Amino acid sequence: MAMDLAGYLQIYNVPTSCKSCGGVLVYRGLGEYRCEECGAFDYDNYGKARSYIEQNPGASAVDIEKNTGVSKAAVRAMLRESRFEIVEGARSFLHCESCRKEIRSGRYCPECEKNIHLTLEKQQREEHQKKMHVFAMNTQGETGQRRFVRDKD
C-alpha cells in the first residue's frame, strides 16, 4: 500500500525551506536537499539516519534517536521499507508480518514474499483466463469456419 504524502512528510521530516535564507530546497537524493538560493544543505530523517549509520556501523535505533533526533518509530518504518537492514549478530529483529519469523528488514521473510508473489501471479493468470473465456464466449453465430475469405484475382 502506497504511503500518502502527509504520512511521508511526517515519517521523514522532509525540510521544505532553507533554514539560512528561506529559499526552496531541491531534493538531491539519499535524503539530501540543497537550497536553490544559497546552496546550503539540509537532510530529512532518512538522510540524517543514513549519515549517522555510515559513521557508526551497527548503531541501534536508540543510538540513532539520541544522536540525530530521528525517532525510533521512523527508524522502524525505514527498516520496514527496506531502506536499512539490521546488522548480522544484533539481538533485535523485525518479524515477518505473515509467519512471524525473524527478519532484518522489510515486511516479509523471503519465503512468505515468494508465496505472496506466486499467489498474485496465480490470481492474475486466473483473471486473464476469465477475460479470455468471456472474449471467446462473445462469438455469437460463428460456426468455427473462416470469417474472412481472400478474394481470388
Side-chain angles (χ1 to χ4, degrees):
M1 184 158 78
M3 185 184 309
D4 65 344
L5 183 58
Y8 178 83
L9 293 174
Q10 183 180 13
I11 288 174
Y12 289 101
N13 195 26
V14 175
T16 54
S17 61
C18 179
K19 293 174 184 171
S20 300
C21 72
V24 175
L25 291 173
V26 178
Y27 182 67
R28 307 240 331 157
L30 299 174
E32 182 178 275
Y33 299 79
R34 186 170 185 184
C35 178
E36 287 182 326
E37 302 295 320
C38 70
F41 285 95
D42 202 352
Y43 299 89
D44 62 15
N45 282 347
Y46 173 69
K48 291 173 189 174
R50 184 180 147 274
S51 178
Y52 184 78
I53 291 169
E54 284 177 351
Q55 295 170 6
N56 302 280
S60 69
V62 173
D63 293 336
I64 295 168
E65 182 177 43
K66 180 177 155 189
N67 293 294
T68 65
V70 177
S71 73
K72 290 182 284 189
V75 172
R76 272 193 301 278
M78 289 182 249
L79 283 166
R80 285 286 183 198
E81 293 172 359
S82 296
R83 288 178 171 249
F84 298 125
E85 184 176 281
I86 297 172
V87 294
E88 202 168 318
R91 290 178 285 151
S92 60
F93 287 93
L94 297 173
H95 293 280
C96 173
E97 291 180 11
S98 181
C99 71
R100 305 299 299 156
K101 184 178 183 180
E102 292 180 342
I103 56 177
R104 291 199 256 162
S105 73
R107 296 177 59 202
Y108 302 101
C109 68
E111 294 83 19
C112 290
E113 190 165 355
K114 180 180 175 183
N115 288 336
I116 288 168
H117 287 287
L118 290 173
T119 301
L120 287 172
E121 290 169 9
K122 181 181 176 189
Q123 289 172 349
Q124 288 174 330
R125 280 191 195 91
E126 290 171 356
E127 188 65 31
H128 181 70
Q129 288 294 340
K130 229 187 280 183
K131 287 178 183 175
M132 294 307 291
H133 181 70
V134 169
F135 176 74
M137 296 298 289
N138 291 333
T139 55
Q140 299 165 348
E142 294 179 12
T143 61
Q145 299 171 353
R146 282 194 231 165
R147 290 183 278 166
F148 304 100
V149 179
R150 211 176 265 245
D151 292 333
K152 293 184 182 183
D153 294 334

